[in-house]
Amino acid sequence: MSTTRTGAVSRTTKETDIHISLTLEGNGVGDIATGIPFFDHMLTSLTRYGFFDLGLHARGDLDVDYHHTVEDVGICLGEAFDHALGAKEGIRRFGHVVMPMDEALVSVALDFCSRPYLIYHVTFPGPRIGTSFPSELVQEFFQGFIRRSGLTLHINLHYGTNSHHIAEAIFKGVGRALGQACALDPRIHGVFSTKGEL
């Protein structure tokens, strides 16, 4: 089994143009440019705490809304993970993290089971994070991500009052849990399932 797992995705529509290269055995280095600085910051956190290497360049109709770009990046990143994991042989499959960020506490649990499902119990204090990023787009990103990665993902906010801290705890937590789930375990032969398949 190769010890370097990669995924590359390019997707062009009338709304977005996205190119992604992902290496699972990385150092947490991101070359990320979506045209949305706060989103870049969140994706950098996900990359860093998952110890992935990620090249991600996106151009979208930001003059219309951030929605298309954020959702399509989620879709493409999910597809890149799906490509990089292949048949998912040897991976630990599950990840779980309780992530603090100052006053905010978020728990993340996930399973690469080929059954995309998102449970998202998060309420932000306001409609925007900072001056311009709609808080509802955090959920839209992860909805796109699970659809193409085949991930079951649970995100629960326990408490928090600062929108930036809540979002950052989410992205760091998901990154860390992804790193756990994607890791290879020499004790696992084939896929980690009692059924013998995912």
Side-chain angles (χ1 to χ4, degrees):
M1 184 184 298
S2 172
T3 57
T4 302
R5 297 165 296 165
T6 63
V9 174
S10 292
R11 183 176 189 261
T12 301
T13 71
K14 293 180 179 179
E15 297 168 343
T16 60
D17 183 21
I18 298 169
H19 303 274
I20 290 178
S21 61
L22 171 71
T23 302
L24 298 183
E25 286 75 24
N27 297 298
V29 176
D31 175 17
I32 298 167
T34 66
I36 309 171
F38 179 78
F39 190 38
D40 292 352
H41 176 43
M42 294 299 102
L43 293 170
T44 298
S45 292
L46 186 149
T47 300
R48 176 62 178 160
Y49 285 86
F51 290 100
F52 309 116
D53 288 343
L54 177 64
L56 194 163
H57 295 267
R59 288 186 295 120
D61 54 357
L62 302 183
D63 54 323
V64 175
D65 197 291
Y66 290 173
H67 185 283
H68 296 146
T69 299
V70 171
E71 181 181 33
D72 287 3
V73 165
I75 289 169
C76 292
L77 188 58
E79 192 170 335
F81 269 89
D82 188 53
H83 289 175
L85 289 169
K88 302 182 179 70
E89 294 181 347
I91 67 166
R92 291 180 176 167
R93 180 177 155 183
F94 300 96
H96 176 258
V97 170
V98 179
M99 180 64 68
M101 178 70 185
D102 295 354
E103 88 300 338
L105 188 70
V106 169
S107 65
V108 173
L110 55 82
D111 176 11
F112 275 108
C113 57
S114 301
R115 296 189 300 275
Y117 205 93
L118 177 65
I119 297 294
Y120 183 85
H121 292 154
V122 179
T123 300
F124 283 93
R128 296 194 177 275
I129 305 171
T131 58
S132 62
F133 191 85
S135 54
E136 66 184 14
L137 293 187
V138 174
Q139 182 174 3
E140 290 300 322
F141 167 76
F142 287 110
Q143 190 65 59
F145 182 75
I146 63 104
R147 283 208 315 265
R148 293 298 177 91
S149 62
L151 190 68
T152 288
L153 173 61
H154 293 245
I155 301 172
N156 291 286
L157 171 65
H158 298 281
Y159 41 80
T161 57
N162 182 291
S163 294
H164 188 130
H165 295 165
I166 293 169
E168 191 160 345
I170 290 170
F171 277 85
K172 285 180 176 178
V174 171
R176 195 78 189 101
L178 284 171
Q180 293 173 6
C182 292
L184 294 169
D185 189 322
R187 297 170 298 175
I188 299 171
H189 303 283
V191 295
F192 193 24
S193 170
T194 56
K195 296 194 297 277
E197 63 178 47
L198 296 174

